[in-house]
Amino acid sequence: MRYKDCFDKERRDFLRVVKHAGIAAGVIRASSLIAGVMMARVAEAQSGTPSKHCLVFSGGGCHPSKWFPTGSTLPAQSAPLQSHYSRIALLQNAKLSQAGHGVMFHRFNDGSWNYDSFDVNLGRTIGANYPVKYLNVGTTAESALSRDTTGTKPVITSPQAALDVLFAGGGGGGGGGTVAPRKSIVDLHLPAVNDLKNKLGQHEKDKLDSHMSAIREIETAIGSSGTGTGSSGSCPQPPTTSATGFDALAKLHTDIIVLALDCNLSASVSIAFGTDAHTHYLDVLGRESHQSHHNQGNMPNAYTEDIVYMQGLTKNLFDKLNAKGLLSSTIVTQVSDMGDADSHGNDNVPMLVAGAGITGGRVVNIGGKTQADIYQTIGLKLRADQGPNGGSYRKWANSAISGL
């Protein structure tokens, strides 16, 4: 098909599907979950066609010799990604427009303080028809990576606030309060879900039950699960767990952004593992990352342990996306804050792209290009410059990176 008007067609198809299903507009407005189910009906189902994006910040950099493989086996620092390497392109000779601490707008942006960041820009374009334009979550409040023309969008560190953006308040990204909904999100959406049940096929019913179960599990993990039993009695409440500490919070936020993509609530999500100040405390390793990143001479193994741990979080994200079949429609882009953390360098910054439309299992030398060139390349792959939303697309660079 011609993609000149792809997003306009998406919107028209969405309205047509809602009308033919006999669903009242009020139900769609009242429940982002139902809107997501209807979006799934009109989503392009071609395997390998990118339509969603997940932007990842992984603080800490790397040692190039321990990050880039010479063959098909990943070395120590990138080793956690081995099981997904066939989907991943590691970008060699990638630079940041500015490396080091305290320059967060050079991570999800190109240093332009008065323009929107990449995740926000994709929310305006490829995500314009979705219930939530973008969702920006993270482990550390200092990780102020996202920005629109009105200013910084505080990273959402509260899992409850992230759920409120997705299911209670809607809207588009940004920080929020920590006040829980008056009752469980499962219960909040239950009337709309039950009203829709007789209008769905069995596959859609099963998918919706799966969504409700996932929401229940996340609510239980953060202690806000209420007393409901789910969409059709099929969402038993799992044993109570507590999301405390960096590791648990990183994994819970991972579950939330995967849920957002899987439920078609958003086409643009971002997650920040740590901060570029490297002050995050890695509870699994029992230390603040800064001490090992800048004391490599006295702690020769600790830096690699830190990077291995951080890439284990990215692996967990890939595992969750893959389990939901989302890597056939979602591009994942990972950026960092520097190359070798000991020198604050901006050479060989560990950036990667993976998933839909990406030829993986290889190292791609991008010849010193920066995150702006990467964003331009991925934006064009996602067709963010096309259709009626194209006027909102930021041109990130004058040329795209070939060969991805």
Side-chain angles (χ1 to χ4, degrees):
M1 64 175 286
R2 294 179 64 222
Y3 287 123
K4 181 179 180 182
D5 299 313
C6 56
F7 298 109
D8 183 51
K9 181 180 184 300
E10 179 183 84
R11 178 63 178 168
R12 286 185 281 111
D13 287 347
F14 174 79
L15 295 174
R16 188 179 302 116
V17 164
V18 170
K19 179 180 178 180
H20 287 174
I23 301 171
V27 174
I28 295 293
R29 287 193 295 269
S31 175
S32 57
L33 191 60
I34 300 306
V37 171
M38 293 296 98
M39 278 296 299
R41 285 194 178 186
V42 301
E44 292 176 307
Q46 288 180 275
S47 178
T49 300
S51 58
K52 300 175 183 178
H53 187 263
C54 177
L55 186 54
V56 180
F57 171 76
S58 182
C62 73
H63 286 146
S65 62
K66 297 179 180 179
W67 178 264
F68 297 104
T70 55
S72 59
T73 301
L74 297 179
Q77 292 180 1
S78 57
L81 304 175
Q82 185 69 58
S83 60
H84 295 286
Y85 186 39
S86 63
R87 303 179 175 93
I88 296 171
L90 297 174
L91 306 182
Q92 193 171 40
N93 289 320
K95 290 180 178 288
L96 282 168
S97 51
Q98 184 175 342
H101 302 307
V103 284
M104 298 301 288
F105 293 124
H106 292 260
R107 315 306 182 224
F108 285 6
N109 213 316
D110 60 354
S112 301
W113 288 67
N114 296 320
Y115 298 96
D116 54 9
S117 55
F118 188 56
D119 55 327
V120 173
N121 191 239
L122 289 182
R124 297 185 193 281
T125 53
I126 69 168
N129 293 330
Y130 285 73
V132 177
K133 299 299 179 285
Y134 64 91
L135 181 70
N136 57 320
V137 300
T139 57
T140 311
E142 294 175 69
S143 300
L145 293 149
S146 299
R147 185 179 179 85
D148 66 14
T149 54
T150 65
T152 304
K153 309 300 291 184
V155 66
I156 301 174
T157 56
S158 161
Q160 183 62 67
L163 288 182
D164 287 350
V165 168
L166 289 177
F167 296 104
T178 58
V179 178
R182 285 185 293 274
K183 57 182 178 179
S184 163
I185 287 168
V186 172
D187 296 336
L188 193 65
H189 289 255
L190 192 57
V193 168
N194 287 337
D195 182 65
L196 185 66
K197 277 298 183 77
N198 63 353
K199 300 178 176 69
L200 298 178
Q202 188 59 48
H203 173 74
E204 288 176 315
K205 291 179 183 178
D206 292 343
K207 189 73 171 175
L208 193 53
D209 280 343
S210 176
H211 293 338
M212 295 293 249
S213 295
I215 296 167
R216 171 68 75 199
E217 290 175 7
I218 291 171
E219 285 190 313
T220 300
I222 60 179
S224 66
S225 56
T227 58
T229 57
S231 59
S232 60
S234 62
C235 303
Q237 185 168 318
T240 299
T241 57
S242 178
T244 59
F246 185 93
D247 188 71
L249 190 60
K251 291 174 179 175
L252 185 54
H253 275 306
T254 296
D255 289 341
I256 290 172
I257 63 170
V258 171
L259 181 70
L261 294 171
D262 190 37
C263 293
N264 286 295
L265 300 176
S266 181
S268 178
V269 298
S270 65
I271 185 165
F273 296 131
T275 168
D276 77 348
H278 295 193
T279 54
H280 41 280
Y281 184 81
L282 303 178
D283 51 334
V284 170
L285 300 177
R287 59 174 174 262
E288 185 185 68
S289 62
H290 195 271
Q291 62 177 302
S292 56
H293 293 185
H294 292 317
N295 196 21
Q296 295 180 30
N298 294 324
M299 304 174 69
N301 299 318
Y303 182 57
T304 289
E305 290 173 354
D306 286 6
I307 302 309
V308 167
Y309 166 72
M310 296 296 279
Q311 292 313 302
L313 296 178
T314 301
K315 175 191 180 297
N316 177 61
L317 170 64
F318 281 129
D319 288 346
K320 296 294 179 67
L321 291 170
N322 187 50
K324 295 294 186 180
L326 289 165
L327 288 174
S328 64
S329 61
T330 305
I331 296 178
V332 178
T333 302
Q334 177 179 283
V335 299
S336 191
D337 47 8
M338 57 190 77
D340 185 342
D342 211 14
S343 60
H344 289 175
N346 75 331
D347 294 319
N348 276 315
V349 179
M351 302 192 196
L352 63 82
V353 293
I358 302 297
T359 303
R362 63 207 179 107
V363 176
V364 179
N365 190 327
I366 66 171
K369 291 189 174 183
T370 71
Q371 75 275 23
D373 301 283
I374 297 169
Y375 295 156
Q376 175 70 0
T377 304
I378 300 305
L380 295 180
K381 275 186 172 290
L382 289 162
R383 300 165 294 158
D385 62 325
Q386 298 178 19
N389 304 326
S392 299
Y393 175 68
R394 256 189 85 183
K395 184 178 179 181
W396 294 86
N398 291 323
S399 62
I401 298 169
S402 61
L404 294 182

